[in-house]
Amino acid sequence: MHLAYPTVLAALLFCTGLYGVLARRNAILVLMSVELMLNAVNLNLVAFDVWLSKASRETLHSGQALTLFTIAIAAAEIGIGLAIVLAVYRNRGTSDIDKLRDTAEGHESEGPDSDALTAGSADGAGKAEATA
Amino acid sequence: MTTTTLAVLVPLLPFLGAAAGLLLGRTAPGFVRPLAVLPPLTALALAAVVAVRQGGEQAIDAHTELTPTGSVPIELALHIDGFAALVAVLVGVVATCVQIYSTGYLRDDPRYPSYAALVSLFTSAMLLVVYSGDLIVLLVGWEVMGICSYFLVGHYWETPEARAASIKAFLVTKLGDVPFLIGLFALATDAGSFRITKILGAVANGGLDHPTIVALLLLAGVAGKSAQFPLHTWLPDAMAGPTPVSALIHAATMVAAGVYFIARLLPVFESSQAAMVTLAVMAAVTMLGSGLAALAQDDIKRVLAYSTIGQLGYMTGALAVGDRGAAVFHLLTHGAFKALLFLAAGVIIHAAGTNSLAAMSRMRGLRDRVSDAYWTMTVALLALAAIPPFSGFFSKESVLGAAEHVVTGHTEHAPSAAGWITLVAGLLTAVLTAGYATRLWLLAFHGRGAEAPDHGRQPLTMTVVLWVLAVPSLALGGLAFRVLPDWFDGRDLTPTLTTSVAGTGVALVGAIVTYAAWRHTTTLSARAPLGAVAAHPEGDAAQVEAEAIASHAPVYGGVAYAPDPADPGRLLLGPLHRHAAVGFHLDAVYAALFVRPVQAGASLVRFLDREVVETYVRGAGALPRLLGAAVRRAQTGNVQTYVSALLAGTVVLAVAALLVATGA
Amino acid sequence: MTFAAAHTHGFLSPTGVEIAFLLVGLATFGAALVTVTTRQLVHAALWLVVALGGLAVEYLLLTAEFIAWVQVLIYVGSVVVLLLFGLMLTKAPIGRSPDADSGNRWAALTVAVAAAAALVWVVVDAFRTTWVDLDGPAAGSTAVTGASLFQNWFLPFEALSVLLLAALVGAIVLSRKAKAESSSPPVNSRAATGSSPSVPDSRNHPIEGNGRVEGTNPVATTGLTHAADAADAADAADAADVTGSPGVTGSPHAPSPTSTAGTSPAQQQEGAR
């Protein structure tokens, strides 16, 4: 098989996941997109491992081992990530990434109650000014 | 110790006292009064020893080169002849009296330590001027006196009058000091040295190349320092300072420095006829103008200030007729009685709670409250009016006698025009002097109306000093005119018959006319109540005086005059009174010619700085601020925008790296 | 570069494996696209399942069988389930949710497309003449993988297990409800002023809350006591007529007007002397 197939597919999946991370509002959707990215990486690793093992340039099967590790780490990460999302949800009442604006300029001057008010109005403004 | 060592110590001790006072004033307040009084007292003692040792014979000369300048070297030199020795003793006496008086006058003043230190510094600078044999060192003392005058006149800087007066004094004297400096340089270039002895030698040998220019330039500085027309306007306003300051600086020492300077270098001036005539004209205008103005003043200290200006005019008139012995004789007696007048005026102001003659003339029995001041002031006023046998009579007669000497044909030192101008002006001024002295005495001590308030006895330090100064005012003249020629140039200082009779006669005429006018107008005082007294009569004299100065303009409508129909000066001057009260509008002329253009220029500069330069500065700041605001908008707090930006940048960098790597 | 005699390598004559890979790849990619664009959150999770499953098939096509079944087991089996649990516990809306995409999506699209273009181009350009040899024994069979893992990769394997343990403990700690705030780590922090509500308290500043942020809380109920103390301090400062500083709690707003009124006369008296 031409190596282009798996690698191109991996690249496309990665960028799809990238889009999801940057564009989705719900934290859990962001986590899903992260999973897509990780899977794309895994595909890449496997493809290269197969290629290099069969070409006898590699005897350690490092690609597949790393893929297994990545899968395990992804599982751990999703566990922690969901715990965090649930904690945020319990604290803020929402799992919107947009509402997590503590590092914003001038955030301290707003009262905590006004977060909900300003978030709604700042959404459009905030994202509209996102610089690429 | 050698006389030279003692002479060096004389200016040095008050300087060290001043330095110690400035350094220790806050940390050791118990030492301040001894540090104020003892150095001048010691300097007086040493100056007396120096004078005794010098004895009017050979001048004491000592010099060491201070700095080579490439052309004319500057040397630290002493030149103590009879003039210097006696003037130094006068300075020592007056300075010591003033320091002792000040301990009582500024009893509760929180700024007394710095005041005393500045008075000591001033004393040291004046002694340096007196003893110095090198013109640049003299200039140093000259200028230090100027700055001390600024600080001391501005002692009550809470009052706007004091602030304005100190700046005015400083600027006007500096206006004279710039030509003075140029004149000094010209003189030294012509004579080849800054040393007084060498300059006088050069004048005697071959003369100077440009005597008139040099003399006129030097006269400008003298006019500023000694308050002669046209640079005299600062002295009446400088009365906004404490009375002891006025006694020391504006009566006995600093204003005498100009006269003393001309006396030292008289051959330089004598080599230019034009300068002598100019000096005589200046003296005459000064004498007459100040005499008229003194008749119109309401503030007791301003009367004395104009009186000082006029008496200095006498001294410069004596110099204009080439007789420095007479000038310095009058300087010595004037120093004593004018200081006494000022110090007594301080006591009166403290007791009456006001400095206004109009208010004092409506108080009865003031002379019983301040009997020491009454008697000593009477003595001093008689000396001022040149009534025999007081000291002022002898010294003024020596001036008039010198003028008569020139008029009768002895013109080897001065042109006869100078003699005539001085003689006529001197006689007229004698009338005016007696007039305003009488007016002051009558208004202050013979008022009618409510009983004067009783604030207790005046401090002993203030009253004892008055009697100390009364002795030379009474006795100096009679004893001195026989002895002084040995100290001075040898010219006879005995009063001549014609001038004595003429002078005393016109003085008595002036006094009687004023008395008659007073009798006429004093009945009006009951019908026109006027006056206000200080709000804190129990305070020390400095506080009372400061309040009196600050309240004069609001109460009476002006700082100099009062709308008092019972003032004999109004009757005597007639239509001139209005003009005399404001010094014949010279201040207004200066304001229009100089002050307003400078202020307009200053406001223009301020406008340009604010609108033009500041705009650039603010504009330079506005751009970063805009950029910062723009950049700050990227701080959205939204993680996704941050990551988007990060990744976008990464993609760009990766593509760029690829392009570079593939050589595109 | 390997050549298999039975196949001709060429771009226009793909093998069967390649065709199968391509088709499954398309399906996977499509499922992934739907995952990141759909507005129905639960559907997104389910489409993720499809994508992950498709990837498992791809692994099989690449003869990495062990990884394929691990993929199904872990990813599809547990990760997606966890995601679904997460959606459920955060009360994700069933059906279309109008704000599933943030306003950042255009920038995200730009970045993603650019990244995709760059990556694909680079990859294709780099591996233009590279073929994977899939004949012969499977490169990713269980035996091979197990041998490799437990011989060469044993230490990372153990480390991984420690990591999993840490993740486990962390997840438990994170999801505990804090009873006393002092014992709990500051991630779930309440403000130090002592309130512990059981409902979501949006007035508190967790995680990044520093002393200054907590201190400048003039509107919060807890801040009122501080304002009262500062007012008393300002009165005391006025009475003593000193230039007292209003720094009781460090909050500069409330007491400053009164204390500046108190200090200015004192400063004027000093200036007059």
Side-chain angles (χ1 to χ4, degrees):
Chain A
M1 175 188 321
H2 197 282
L3 190 55
Y5 287 91
T7 46
V8 167
L9 177 62
L12 290 173
L13 278 177
F14 184 83
C15 294
T16 311
L18 187 68
Y19 169 78
V21 164
L22 300 179
R24 293 302 235 172
R25 195 185 293 250
N26 195 318
I28 301 193
L29 294 176
V30 171
L31 284 173
M32 283 187 214
S33 312
V34 172
E35 293 306 316
L36 272 179
M37 289 164 82
L38 283 169
N39 274 284
V41 169
N42 281 348
L43 180 59
N44 223 9
L45 282 170
V46 167
F48 274 99
D49 183 71
V50 170
W51 167 45
L52 291 171
S53 301
K54 277 298 171 72
S56 303
R57 276 147 69 165
E58 233 237 10
T59 54
L60 280 179
H61 297 283
S62 49
Q64 299 200 33
L66 284 172
T67 307
L68 287 170
F69 293 149
T70 309
I71 293 175
I73 290 171
E77 171 233 334
I78 201 76
I80 299 279
L82 279 172
I84 293 176
V85 169
L86 289 176
V88 167
Y89 181 79
R90 223 180 288 143
N91 256 325
R92 307 276 179 112
T94 172
S95 53
D96 267 347
I97 303 246
D98 286 346
K99 306 281 194 316
L100 306 176
R101 294 261 205 164
D102 284 10
T103 58
E105 173 92 7
H107 176 81
E108 292 78 21
S109 58
E110 302 169 3
D113 287 332
S114 64
D115 265 349
L117 296 163
T118 56
S121 60
D123 278 343
K127 300 316 181 303
E129 69 196 22
T131 56
Chain B
M1 271 205 239
T2 64
T3 316
T4 311
T5 319
L6 290 176
V8 167
L9 279 179
V10 168
L12 190 61
L13 284 176
F15 179 77
L16 293 175
L22 282 173
L23 289 173
L24 298 176
R26 271 190 205 276
T27 53
F31 282 114
V32 168
R33 283 183 173 76
L35 267 178
V37 175
L38 288 176
L41 191 58
T42 323
L44 167 63
L46 294 176
V49 171
V50 168
V52 165
R53 285 200 193 170
Q54 200 268 337
E57 301 144 13
Q58 185 77 6
I60 298 174
D61 260 310
H63 67 97
T64 166
E65 181 165 288
L66 191 57
T67 165
T69 57
S71 59
V72 182
I74 299 175
E75 297 172 22
L76 202 56
L78 283 176
H79 176 69
I80 306 175
D81 52 10
F83 295 105
L86 290 178
V87 172
V89 171
L90 169 76
V91 171
V93 168
V94 176
T96 311
C97 289
V98 162
Q99 288 278 25
I100 295 174
Y101 183 92
S102 300
T103 59
Y105 198 83
L106 289 113
R107 196 177 49 215
D108 304 324
D109 193 316
R111 288 201 290 276
Y112 175 74
S114 65
Y115 164 91
L118 284 168
V119 172
S120 286
L121 182 64
F122 175 89
T123 311
S124 149
M126 181 68 194
L127 289 166
L128 189 65
V129 169
V130 169
Y131 274 171
S132 168
D134 181 286
L135 286 180
I136 293 296
V137 176
L138 185 147
L139 183 68
V140 168
W142 188 276
E143 298 297 336
V144 171
M145 282 201 290
I147 194 68
C148 286
S149 163
Y150 168 79
F151 284 126
L152 287 167
V153 168
H155 182 80
Y156 303 129
W157 47 255
E158 291 92 353
T159 62
E161 288 85 4
R163 294 196 294 267
S166 63
I167 290 191
K168 182 176 181 182
F170 190 71
L171 286 178
V172 174
T173 49
K174 286 305 146 253
L175 184 62
D177 283 348
V178 172
F180 188 70
L181 182 66
I182 300 173
L184 278 185
F185 286 146
L187 181 60
T189 314
D190 266 352
S193 167
F194 281 115
R195 293 275 307 283
I196 292 180
T197 46
K198 293 221 179 84
I199 290 172
L200 294 177
V203 172
N205 284 341
L208 300 171
D209 295 328
H210 310 95
T212 309
I213 284 287
V214 166
L216 288 176
L217 286 172
L218 293 174
L219 273 183
V222 169
K225 200 65 142 188
S226 291
Q228 299 297 290
F229 177 86
L231 293 175
H232 65 278
T233 52
W234 62 273
L235 189 49
D237 288 329
M239 296 299 113
T243 306
V245 167
S246 305
L248 178 65
I249 295 184
H250 306 130
T253 48
M254 183 170 95
V255 293
V259 172
Y260 176 77
F261 176 80
I262 298 184
R264 287 279 240 187
L265 291 176
L266 194 57
V268 173
F269 294 92
E270 280 176 352
S271 54
S272 159
Q273 300 258 331
M276 296 299 266
V277 173
T278 312
L279 190 57
V281 170
M282 219 165 71
V285 174
T286 306
M287 280 193 265
L288 292 169
S290 66
L292 290 170
L295 274 171
Q297 302 298 310
D298 179 63
D299 181 349
I300 186 173
K301 282 176 67 180
R302 283 182 81 99
V303 175
L304 297 174
Y306 275 110
S307 165
T308 306
I309 297 174
Q311 297 299 307
L312 289 167
Y314 266 110
M315 297 178 216
T316 47
L319 292 168
V321 295
D323 188 349
R324 57 182 178 171
V328 178
F329 184 22
H330 197 55
L331 192 156
L332 292 173
T333 57
H334 173 263
F337 66 69
K338 192 48 70 65
L340 172 57
L341 277 171
F342 270 111
L343 295 179
V347 172
I348 295 170
I349 293 174
H350 187 205
T354 176
N355 59 0
S356 158
L357 285 171
M360 286 186 220
S361 70
R362 286 165 173 79
M363 286 181 201
R364 196 180 61 231
L366 185 60
R367 66 172 180 269
D368 300 319
R369 302 268 174 268
V370 285
S371 52
D372 294 305
Y374 174 61
W375 288 111
T376 51
M377 197 170 214
T378 310
V379 168
L381 284 172
L382 285 169
L384 175 63
I387 307 294
F390 295 91
S391 59
F393 166 72
F394 290 96
S395 55
K396 189 179 287 186
E397 287 316 312
S398 69
V399 172
L400 292 175
E404 192 213 4
H405 191 71
V406 169
V407 162
T408 54
H410 301 94
T411 56
E412 54 274 4
H413 288 280
S416 63
W420 275 110
I421 296 172
T422 307
L423 185 60
V424 172
L427 285 172
L428 287 173
T429 311
V431 181
L432 296 171
T433 308
Y436 65 68
T438 314
R439 170 177 173 265
L440 188 141
W441 189 71
L442 289 169
L443 286 177
F445 296 120
H446 295 274
R448 298 180 191 178
E451 188 76 19
D454 186 0
H455 301 304
R457 280 178 59 90
Q458 295 296 315
L460 201 63
T461 46
M462 287 162 69
T463 50
V464 167
V465 165
L466 298 178
W467 287 109
V468 167
L469 282 173
V471 171
S473 304
L474 183 56
L476 183 62
L479 298 172
F481 79 91
R482 274 181 276 263
V483 178
L484 282 181
D486 297 329
W487 293 77
F488 295 163
D489 291 334
R491 200 92 57 77
D492 189 15
L493 294 172
T494 316
T496 59
L497 190 59
T498 33
T499 49
S500 308
V501 170
T504 314
V506 298
L508 287 172
V509 164
I512 290 168
V513 170
T514 310
Y515 180 75
W518 176 74
R519 286 297 298 255
H520 183 78
T521 54
T522 193
T523 52
L524 298 171
S525 70
R527 276 186 248 153
L530 192 64
V533 295
H536 293 96
E538 73 287 354
D540 66 354
Q543 186 181 18
V544 171
E545 185 187 12
E547 287 174 3
I549 291 170
S551 61
H552 196 280
V555 172
Y556 301 101
V559 76
Y561 53 84
D564 182 12
D567 184 3
R570 276 180 193 266
L571 185 61
L572 290 169
L573 287 174
L576 272 182
H577 179 91
R578 200 163 45 88
H579 306 288
V582 288
F584 297 103
H585 304 288
L586 199 57
D587 274 328
V589 169
Y590 283 155
L593 277 182
F594 300 114
V595 175
R596 264 204 287 264
V598 169
Q599 282 179 336
S603 61
L604 174 68
V605 169
R606 190 174 62 228
F607 167 79
L608 286 176
D609 179 60
R610 198 178 50 227
E611 300 302 328
V612 177
V613 176
E614 273 298 304
T615 312
Y616 283 118
V617 173
R618 260 184 273 123
L623 185 62
R625 214 176 318 124
L626 278 174
L627 285 177
V631 170
R632 233 180 293 132
R633 286 165 66 94
Q635 287 294 114
T636 57
N638 188 339
V639 180
Q640 283 175 332
T641 58
Y642 295 164
V643 179
S644 312
L646 189 67
L647 288 170
T650 311
V651 168
V652 167
L653 280 176
V655 170
L658 281 172
L659 290 175
V660 167
T662 57
Chain C
M1 192 159 79
T2 53
F3 293 87
H7 301 276
T8 53
H9 293 277
F11 293 113
L12 296 181
S13 56
T15 61
V17 179
E18 285 177 343
I19 295 174
F21 194 96
L22 182 64
L23 291 172
V24 177
L26 280 172
T28 308
F29 183 56
L33 277 178
V34 177
T35 304
V36 296
T37 52
T38 180
R39 291 177 185 257
Q40 309 203 32
L41 303 192
V42 183
H43 285 207
L46 298 176
W47 282 108
L48 185 66
V49 171
V50 173
L52 296 175
L55 272 179
V57 173
E58 302 283 33
Y59 290 145
L60 281 175
L61 287 174
L62 282 171
T63 72
E65 351 173 295
F66 184 66
I67 294 194
W69 297 120
V70 168
Q71 165 95 347
V72 172
L73 193 63
I74 305 294
Y75 264 117
V76 178
S78 54
V79 167
V80 173
V81 172
L82 271 177
L83 285 168
L84 282 169
F85 267 113
L87 281 174
M88 194 171 66
L89 286 171
T90 57
K91 298 189 178 61
I94 309 291
R96 282 179 188 263
S97 100
D99 58 346
D101 283 335
S102 70
N104 201 30
R105 59 176 171 274
W106 303 115
L109 188 62
T110 316
V111 171
V113 166
L119 279 174
V120 168
W121 167 48
V122 167
V123 157
V124 166
D125 191 47
F127 300 109
R128 205 175 302 202
T129 55
T130 314
W131 274 267
V132 183
D133 180 16
L134 294 173
D135 298 329
S141 67
T142 314
V144 171
T145 311
S148 154
L149 197 61
F150 289 103
Q151 281 173 357
N152 305 319
W153 295 94
F154 193 66
L155 191 54
F157 182 81
E158 293 301 326
L160 186 68
S161 61
V162 173
L163 179 131
L164 284 171
L165 178 67
L168 185 66
V169 172
I172 294 175
V173 162
L174 278 175
S175 43
R176 244 193 333 165
K177 269 201 195 159
K179 300 174 201 104
E181 58 281 352
S182 53
S183 56
S184 68
V187 174
N188 196 15
S189 68
R190 302 297 185 233
T193 53
S195 59
S196 63
S198 56
V199 296
D201 189 349
S202 62
R203 285 184 295 171
N204 291 307
H205 297 255
I207 307 176
E208 290 89 6
N210 50 14
R212 190 174 66 80
V213 173
E214 289 174 340
T216 57
N217 243 350
V219 226
T221 54
T222 55
L224 284 178
T225 57
H226 293 288
D229 292 339
D232 290 338
D235 289 342
D238 283 340
D241 203 33
V242 296
T243 60
S245 67
V248 175
T249 56
S251 57
H253 304 299
S256 53
T258 55
S259 60
T260 50
T263 55
S264 50
Q267 288 166 351
Q268 284 169 4
Q269 286 175 15
E270 292 171 3
R273 194 70 188 96

